[in-house]
Amino acid sequence: MSNIVADVMTSFQSDFENFDRPYIENAYNSKFPMIWIVGKSYTYLLHLGEYEENFRENEVARYAYVQGGNPFFSFLDALGGDHLFLIEPDGVREITEKQVREVCRDIVTSVAEKWMKENGPLPTRVQVPVKFFNITLSKVKELIRECEAHNDNSLIEIFRRFHNYRRVAIDQYIQISYNPGYNEFTFCEYTNGKQGLVGGIIFHGWPETGYMVNGSYQMEPTYGWSSHT
């Protein structure tokens, strides 16, 4: 592998000796295969062999899979003429990007199929639940109808956007609370009991009432509703 570094890399060759080589030489068979990306000034390892453990222990990986994600493709999408090598316990060989994608796809698919055989079906509901507090359904509909009367869909689009957030856990939802005194909402994302994204949904008025700041800032002021974090 040192000869590959010497032939391909023009700078930062020590990265291979300091990072890649020790990992590869000390890896158990379960850590293989790996994809080794070698560019002119960098190297990078895709740890395909570690995917099974990550998939088994991390529901984020399982949700990513059912939503069509492959954690390795983003690295391949950023390639710029780099050399690609498949590293297995018995050797190293250069392969094409197409072959790398096939290897990555096969690893991810086989891991998911094995998990389902041992544990049952993967989750199928990938939209994030949205829970409303301190507001009735009729009031929500009233606010949406008010928007529609102004040819505006800003409020319902905010609710839809929350619902379509990327789901990473079974215990994940977005709580939206209404403050009737200020005619505004606050929201908070909860994942496994921990708070995540927080903010407000602020009303900015209609043309007949004039634009309302309501304690927030818009780079391009618009009427209707907008979310702020």
Side-chain angles (χ1 to χ4, degrees):
M1 296 178 72
S2 296
N3 62 317
I4 295 173
V5 170
D7 291 341
V8 176
M9 298 186 70
T10 58
S11 57
F12 300 104
Q13 294 92 336
S14 60
D15 284 356
F16 167 71
E17 297 293 340
N18 294 333
F19 303 106
D20 295 348
R21 186 168 190 164
Y23 180 87
I24 295 167
E25 291 180 345
N26 292 292
Y28 296 107
N29 282 350
S30 62
K31 300 297 184 182
F32 294 92
M34 307 172 196
I35 296 297
W36 189 35
I37 302 173
V38 184
K40 291 185 177 181
S41 60
Y42 59 88
T43 67
Y44 193 82
L45 282 174
L46 299 184
H47 303 280
L48 305 190
E50 294 182 354
Y51 181 71
E52 182 172 357
E53 180 180 359
N54 182 47
F55 193 89
R56 183 175 64 251
E57 297 184 357
N58 192 342
E59 66 176 339
V60 175
R62 298 194 291 273
Y63 267 101
Y65 175 80
V66 299
Q67 293 174 83
N70 186 305
F72 306 111
F73 283 174
S74 59
F75 296 95
L76 304 180
D77 292 338
L79 293 175
D82 302 325
H83 293 259
L84 304 170
F85 299 86
L86 176 64
I87 304 177
E88 298 177 295
D90 58 351
V92 180
R93 61 187 175 93
E94 187 165 10
I95 59 177
T96 66
E97 180 183 341
K98 180 181 178 181
Q99 290 173 316
V100 171
R101 289 183 180 274
E102 291 173 349
V103 171
C104 293
R105 184 181 61 248
D106 291 345
I107 289 287
V108 169
T109 301
S110 63
V111 165
E113 290 176 347
K114 179 181 178 181
W115 192 93
M116 287 187 285
K117 184 176 181 181
E118 296 175 351
N119 301 277
L122 287 163
T124 56
R125 298 187 64 179
V126 296
Q127 290 184 309
V128 177
V130 175
K131 300 181 180 181
F132 289 92
F133 286 82
N134 201 39
I135 189 171
T136 62
L137 180 58
S138 61
K139 180 61 177 179
V140 172
K141 291 181 178 179
E142 177 187 326
L143 293 173
I144 292 173
R145 285 196 297 268
E146 183 182 25
C147 290
E148 292 172 345
H150 290 84
N151 295 317
D152 179 276
N153 63 355
S154 56
L155 185 59
I156 190 67
E157 284 301 314
I158 291 171
F159 295 157
R160 287 172 177 164
R161 188 166 69 247
F162 288 157
H163 196 44
N164 290 320
Y165 270 16
R166 189 169 185 84
R167 192 161 189 176
V168 298
I170 293 176
D171 182 15
Q172 179 185 4
Y173 63 92
I174 294 177
Q175 177 178 301
I176 300 177
S177 300
Y178 183 59
N179 184 336
Y182 290 93
N183 189 33
E184 66 181 17
F185 297 88
T186 58
F187 65 86
C188 181
E189 179 184 17
Y190 291 91
T191 304
N192 294 325
K194 297 181 179 180
Q195 290 188 355
L197 183 69
V198 297
I201 305 172
I202 308 300
F203 179 59
H204 293 290
W206 300 120
E208 66 270 21
T209 62
Y211 179 76
M212 302 176 183
V213 176
N214 284 335
S216 63
Y217 173 75
Q218 287 183 299
M219 293 184 66
E220 297 181 5
T222 55
Y223 296 112
W225 296 82
S226 67
S227 60
H228 299 262
T229 55

